[in-house]
């Protein structure tokens, strides 16, 4: 680092320890820095919670996108009817009995 003295280096290390950049203890009298043992991060719940937050965000984004792409049910049919004009009764509006009667009439006409 090119620091002019050991005291300057000690201040830099002390600031790093205070800011949480280093996990260590400074021994002023002996003149050394002892780092603490590394904790196995994967043995804690933190990675699983972070993963859960990310997945929840992705699912929320996906659901919002799907919700945004929805069309109102049968909206295009109303526009189609308006453009063609409502000419009589549509085949979807007929009852099953009326449809069956039409089929019988068509079969009788063919034979």
């Amino acid at each position: 680092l090119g620091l002019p003295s050991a005291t300057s280096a000690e201040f830099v290390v002390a600031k790093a320890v205070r800011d949480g950049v280093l996990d260590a203890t400074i021994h002023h009298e002996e003149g050394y820095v002892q780092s603490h043992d590394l904790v196995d991060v994967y043995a804690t719940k933190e990675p699983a919670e972070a993963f859960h937050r990310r997945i929840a965000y992705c699912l929320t984004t996906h659901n919002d996108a799907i919700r945004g792409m929805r069309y109102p049910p049968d909206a295009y049919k109303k526009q189609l009817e308006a453009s063609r004009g409502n000419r009589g009764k549509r085949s979807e509006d007929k009852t099953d009995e009326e449809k069956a009667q039409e089929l019988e009439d068509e079969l009788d006409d063919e034979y």
Side-chain angles (χ1 to χ4, degrees), residues 16-17 28 31 33 41 50 52 65-66 87-88 99 106:
V17 169
H28 301 283
V33 177
V41 174
H52 176 71
I66 295 297
R87 300 180 193 138
K99 290 179 184 177
E106 289 177 10

Side-chain angles (χ1 to χ4, degrees), residues 55-70:
I55 294 298
Y57 172 77
C58 290
L59 289 174
T60 302
T61 304
H62 174 265
N63 291 339
D64 290 344
I66 295 297
R67 193 175 304 120
M69 291 188 301
R70 285 188 188 156

Side-chain angles (χ1 to χ4, degrees), residues 1-16 26:
L1 292 173
L3 299 173
S5 67
T7 308
S8 297
E10 184 178 350
F11 288 137
V12 170
V13 172
K15 183 174 181 340
I26 301 173

Side-chain angles (χ1 to χ4, degrees), residues 2 4 40 56 75 94 96:
D40 185 15
K94 296 179 182 177
D96 290 337

